[in-house]
Amino acid sequence: MKLMHVDASPKGAKSNSRMLSGQFVEMLRERIPALSVDYLDLAQDPPPHVSGDFARAIYTPEEERTPQMRALLEPSDAMCRRVLAADALLFAMPMYNWSMPSSFKAFLDLIVRGGVTYIAGPDGYAGQLARHKVLFLTTRGADLRDGSPFAGMDALTPALTHGFGFIGVRDPWFVDAQPLQFAQPEERAAGLARAQAELAMVADRWAADVMSEAA
Ligand SMILES: Cc1cc2nc3c(=O)[nH]c(=O)nc-3n(C[C@H](O)[C@H](O)[C@H](O)COP(=O)(O)O)c2cc1C
């Protein structure tokens, strides 16, 4: 199985989402010896934000694009190729102001491409990531679970579900580690432990799928 692993936190070695995503990759390695990993660090290699030229180029029909437009789209084309070449996608990120970090949004804006990751046809749009396993691993400072005063403020889960749903992602997994900052140490430890247990369960499921696909 070929995994594309994307980290978005800018906090380097102090990042909880990076620690947890690294642990998940180790869990997968233990279970799937043939695992290969394509790693992308959005803090080291931040994708460009959408420019006016990019917005014009993506909506210009392919055959009408100028050489400049084609050159401008090449990083986006290359990122789409990377994503499409993977069998599984691990996206790890902190929650920022109830949604995704801007680096991850810029990444999403780079890979949602007509004619590449979604195809428009007479019956609507066909997303091209329908075969991918996807895990969104999010870390949150507060606790947004049911019953919490912050429960209704989660704009991250729907943004990821719909953004990636449009390019074909079905039934993604979510592991949300919370509360990791605005809470007592024991609550933070419990939030991490819950997330680690959920990650082990996802790793078990993915490994079982790989075994049954190989059988
Ligand atoms: C700019 C900024 C905005 C944040 N916004 C939220 C938020 O809206 N809700 C929340 O629960 N935590 C928020 N946090 C806390 C982080 O989500 C939390 O500390 C998370 O564990 C960080 O993950 P990391 O260690 O991988 O960077 C915010 C942190 C920063 C720096």
Side-chain angles (χ1 to χ4, degrees):
M1 184 169 82
K2 187 169 179 184
L3 174 76
M4 184 175 185
H5 170 190
V6 180
D7 274 327
S9 171
K11 280 172 44 184
K14 290 193 161 54
S15 157
N16 280 315
S17 57
R18 282 169 186 269
M19 177 189 73
L20 290 170
S21 70
Q23 290 174 352
F24 180 67
V25 172
E26 283 316 305
M27 290 173 191
L28 283 182
R29 279 193 204 287
E30 285 164 13
R31 292 161 174 79
I32 308 172
L35 185 78
S36 69
V37 180
D38 174 20
Y39 182 64
L40 172 63
D41 184 338
L42 295 178
Q44 293 292 323
D45 295 308
H49 283 133
V50 171
S51 64
D53 286 343
F54 180 87
R56 274 183 290 278
I58 56 170
Y59 292 116
T60 299
E62 169 130 39
E63 59 283 3
E64 293 172 26
R65 285 182 191 142
T66 64
Q68 289 82 356
M69 285 176 167
R70 289 176 201 280
L72 182 81
L73 291 179
E74 180 44 38
S76 162
D77 293 337
M79 195 62 85
C80 291
R81 285 195 292 271
R82 274 175 86 171
V83 170
L84 288 167
D87 304 304
L89 302 166
L90 164 61
F91 297 130
M93 75 199 76
M95 172 180 274
Y96 278 174
N97 295 305
W98 316 110
S99 189
M100 64 186 89
S102 60
S103 60
F104 195 79
K105 181 59 167 55
F107 168 77
L108 177 60
D109 291 337
L110 210 57
I111 62 165
V112 178
R113 287 281 308 282
V116 184
T117 51
Y118 72 90
I119 312 281
D123 301 325
Y125 298 104
Q128 301 299 294
L129 274 72
R131 70 174 189 88
H132 290 64
K133 294 183 195 308
V134 177
L135 169 61
F136 297 109
L137 167 47
T138 80
T139 47
R140 293 116 181 261
D143 193 340
L144 284 84
R145 289 176 300 158
D146 285 349
S148 141
F150 302 109
M153 298 181 70
D154 178 6
L156 176 56
T157 307
L160 293 172
T161 303
H162 298 304
F164 283 86
F166 186 67
I167 54 175
V169 172
R170 298 283 166 260
D171 303 321
W173 294 83
F174 281 88
V175 171
D176 303 316
Q178 58 193 341
L180 298 188
Q181 189 174 347
F182 314 120
Q184 296 303 313
E186 54 279 12
E187 292 174 280
R188 297 187 208 174
L192 270 183
R194 258 193 317 274
Q196 285 159 333
E198 290 175 26
L199 290 173
M201 193 197 67
V202 179
D204 284 343
R205 293 286 294 272
W206 283 17
D209 288 350
V210 169
M211 294 278 281
S212 68
E213 282 157 19

